[in-house]
Amino acid sequence: MTVPSEDSIAHETAPASPHDTGITRRHVVGLGLIGGLTIAGLSSCAMIPQASAPVPDGWMPQANPMPFPTDYIWGAATSAFQVEGSTSVDGRGPSIWDTFAAEPGRIRGGATGDPGADHYNLWKDDLELMSQLGLGAYRFSIAWPRIQPTGSGAVNQRGIDFYRRLVDGLVERGIRPGITLYHWDLPQALQDRGGWPNRDTAYRFADYASIMFDALGDVDADWFTINEPKTTAYVGHRWGSHAPGIADNDAAAAAVHHQLLGHGLAVQRFRASGAIGRIGIALNLTPLYPVGDTSVEATARVDASENRLFLDPVLLGSYPKDAIGAQGGMLGANVKDFRALVLDGDLAITSTPCDLLGVQYYGAAGVDFSGNQVGMFPTSNANWQQVHPEGLYDLLTRLRDDYPAIPLVITENGMPDESSSVTVDDPYRVRFLRDHFIQASRAISDGVPLIGHYVWSLLDNFEWAEGYEQRWGIVAVDFETQKRTFKRSATYYKKVIATNAVPTT
Ligand code: FCB
């Protein structure tokens, strides 16, 4: 691995302990140097320089309530490691998140994937909650280590059986399954062989995907190959604050390519398997706004490393030229080494046509002239999240304008509670959802082929490095008793679903 230039190192100084700084997860991307201070010197996001927000475009809702198409998919999402618990039962093998969580100091409060929201045992109750909400779709992920405990070879039938029961339960209730194949819980045995920086992992992923298409391909479902390859590459391999805890730009770049290769191979296997249903990838994308005229070029580079590095190979069959390199805002990996990873024919595989594109939208960011992401909008309790509902509209219309037409589905969108204690009173989340639904409806009226919206998350759960201290559910979970209670936002969402419209006031 080549050592990045000093410039890129300066931009990529990750905190020694993310919990000490108050800044964790992907949010550290680009925030390395602020006014000469390294990020380790920051105590809170209040110190992120604030730039003025883009001038509002003057748009006003045309109708109240704003309607959605009759077949719009209203969903909620979770992922296996965050909700299931039961990490060592029924033959499940260890994943990189089990290993990572066992390392002292990695997860807030020393939390692990147990108990999660005990969904492995309470899945029937959770189906009941979904019916009560009137959900049209439920997006969950399959734990690869339950299916192939060592990441390759023999299949663990008990793992398949769990997801079969879940999918059958959804179908019985008229809820469309949204099935994510990979939501970050790589079998540890594959990490021991190099993980995503190793090309072989892409082929192992395709084999695992085939097993699942054979097992569940008779069900009309929406499949998502990989959840947020950017987070795995950047937070897991560039910053090291997620599993597998690696901080190496070249490893991050390799993880980008091999995940996208795995995605394309899985889409090919899906077609070959004859599975019914649709398939795509779930990308987290961030609209970026220059803080002034002098930061326009840097913003383009951050857009390349945050968005186009993932969109272009999947939708256009090419990598952008300005995503990787030594300039501020780029992923500071060695360009030659990265090119050498991309073998002839790879880009034809990564761009194997999909049926839909999953868009995960949490917020936007400003960019300064050096390519640092800076605060431009209010942050939530997850201080990497700059809340900007209009950014959803900007993002969706940009996808409409810059890429070949493909149905879009918002596969995640949500915010955490204001405190870490269990609560059911979340007016801020009601406002958040309302404001984002409004922008989604607006985008649809402006010709964006948006077919659905999954709220993150159905349940309070294990929020990665934040452990159980950040609650993102519309349903509250008391982790001691595993009691579930609708929050105010769940009741609000139920009404939106029932009326298929969002009141603008
Ligand atoms: C997304 C992840 C999801 C959850 C939310 C808050 O990036 O895909 O698992 O952690 O953020």
Side-chain angles (χ1 to χ4, degrees):
M1 296 288 169
T2 325
V3 178
S5 72
E6 249 191 76
D7 179 54
S8 55
I9 293 171
H11 282 91
E12 302 192 358
T13 309
S17 162
H19 308 310
D20 297 343
T21 63
I23 296 184
T24 58
R25 287 190 65 179
R26 70 216 106 166
H27 29 283
V28 290
V29 171
L31 296 178
L33 255 195
I34 294 167
L37 288 174
T38 64
I39 199 162
L42 293 176
S43 58
S44 90
C45 64
M47 294 184 68
I48 298 172
Q50 292 291 316
S52 43
V55 180
D57 54 15
W59 174 83
M60 296 289 287
Q62 302 298 299
N64 186 11
M66 291 181 73
F68 284 83
T70 40
D71 52 355
Y72 198 67
I73 299 170
W74 292 108
T78 63
S79 85
F81 194 78
Q82 294 179 276
V83 298
E84 285 178 0
S86 300
T87 56
S88 47
V89 307
D90 290 347
R92 179 187 180 278
S95 78
I96 55 173
W97 271 94
D98 298 283
T99 309
F100 191 70
E103 290 171 16
R106 293 295 203 181
I107 313 286
R108 199 178 281 275
T112 69
D114 284 300
D118 200 20
H119 172 76
Y120 193 74
N121 293 309
L122 299 178
W123 60 276
K124 272 194 186 149
D125 302 280
D126 292 338
L127 287 177
E128 224 20 70
L129 290 176
M130 296 176 213
S131 292
Q132 282 171 27
L133 277 167
L135 286 188
Y138 172 56
R139 174 173 175 252
F140 61 95
S141 79
I142 292 172
W144 184 351
R146 288 197 197 281
I147 306 301
Q148 288 181 299
T150 56
S152 58
V155 173
N156 174 32
Q157 189 58 39
R158 285 175 296 176
I160 303 259
D161 293 345
F162 173 70
Y163 295 106
R164 181 82 235 182
R165 287 193 293 270
L166 180 64
V167 162
D168 288 347
L170 289 168
V171 172
E172 272 163 33
R173 287 168 174 78
I175 302 171
R176 185 174 180 84
I179 310 175
T180 307
L181 284 163
Y182 183 74
H183 200 127
W184 305 356
D185 44 1
L186 188 75
Q188 180 60 41
L190 293 185
Q191 188 61 41
D192 296 342
R193 283 152 55 186
W196 286 113
N198 176 4
R199 186 177 171 94
D200 186 59
T201 300
Y203 297 93
R204 300 289 68 77
F205 175 70
D207 288 350
Y208 150 65
S210 285
I211 294 167
M212 295 319 305
F213 300 146
D214 289 345
L216 303 177
D218 58 318
V219 177
D220 189 11
D222 290 332
W223 294 80
F224 300 97
T225 52
I226 300 210
N227 180 74
E228 298 191 355
K230 179 170 64 180
T231 310
T232 291
Y234 291 7
V235 190
H237 293 80
R238 181 181 183 187
W239 303 109
S241 48
H242 272 187
I246 293 169
D248 176 322
N249 291 330
D250 296 297
V256 170
H257 182 59
H258 297 146
Q259 287 182 92
L260 298 180
L261 183 65
H263 153 76
L265 292 167
V267 177
Q268 294 184 342
R269 300 287 187 96
F270 183 79
R271 304 287 180 225
S273 75
I276 59 173
R278 304 180 286 200
I279 191 160
I281 189 169
L283 299 179
N284 53 324
L285 302 169
T286 312
L288 297 153
Y289 304 92
V291 300
D293 292 350
T294 54
S295 44
V296 171
E297 278 173 30
T299 305
R301 292 194 296 269
V302 179
D303 179 53
S305 64
E306 288 281 320
N307 300 318
R308 286 184 278 120
L309 183 59
F310 303 88
L311 287 163
D312 292 10
V314 170
L315 297 175
L316 304 176
S318 59
Y319 275 113
K321 293 200 166 36
D322 50 351
I324 297 181
Q327 282 178 278
M330 293 178 166
L331 166 58
N334 184 286
V335 179
K336 261 189 163 167
D337 289 355
F338 179 72
R339 283 203 194 119
L341 296 172
V342 184
L343 306 186
D344 277 356
D346 278 8
L347 285 161
I349 296 172
T350 61
S351 59
T352 306
C354 290
D355 304 306
L356 34 71
L357 175 70
V359 175
Q360 322 232 124
Y361 183 69
Y362 284 97
V367 178
D368 73 11
F369 71 95
S370 308
N372 298 312
Q373 290 180 49
V374 296
M376 194 177 254
F377 310 100
T379 51
S380 74
N381 190 33
N383 52 20
W384 50 266
Q385 180 178 34
Q386 297 188 39
V387 177
H388 182 48
E390 292 80 2
L392 177 61
Y393 175 82
D394 292 348
L395 172 62
L396 293 171
T397 47
R398 183 259 177 110
L399 292 171
R400 177 199 64 194
D401 295 344
D402 291 1
Y403 291 93
I406 182 167
L408 304 176
V409 53
I410 298 165
T411 33
E412 288 183 23
N413 180 220
M415 71 175 293
D417 281 330
E418 285 179 350
S419 106
S420 58
S421 336
V422 63
T423 181
V424 295
D425 194 26
D426 58 348
Y428 41 82
R429 185 176 284 108
V430 172
R431 280 194 298 275
F432 179 99
L433 294 177
R434 181 200 63 192
D435 293 350
H436 286 80
F437 294 158
I438 287 173
Q439 296 300 326
S441 175
R442 174 187 178 195
I444 295 168
S445 10
D446 286 354
V448 170
L450 181 65
I451 61 167
H453 204 129
Y454 290 84
V455 168
W456 183 272
S457 174
L458 176 68
L459 301 168
D460 288 342
N461 58 47
F462 173 86
E463 175 50 28
W464 309 114
E466 300 301 326
Y468 295 98
E469 294 187 25
Q470 242 177 42
R471 296 172 170 273
W472 290 75
I474 55 172
V475 176
V477 176
D478 178 331
F479 297 114
E480 301 283 314
T481 61
Q482 293 297 338
K483 186 169 179 285
R484 277 96 160 111
T485 317
F486 275 13
K487 298 183 189 177
R488 207 202 274 196
S489 56
T491 311
Y492 165 79
Y493 192 30
K494 182 177 172 163
K495 203 168 149 205
V496 169
I497 296 172
T499 54
N500 200 35
V502 55
T504 59
T505 45

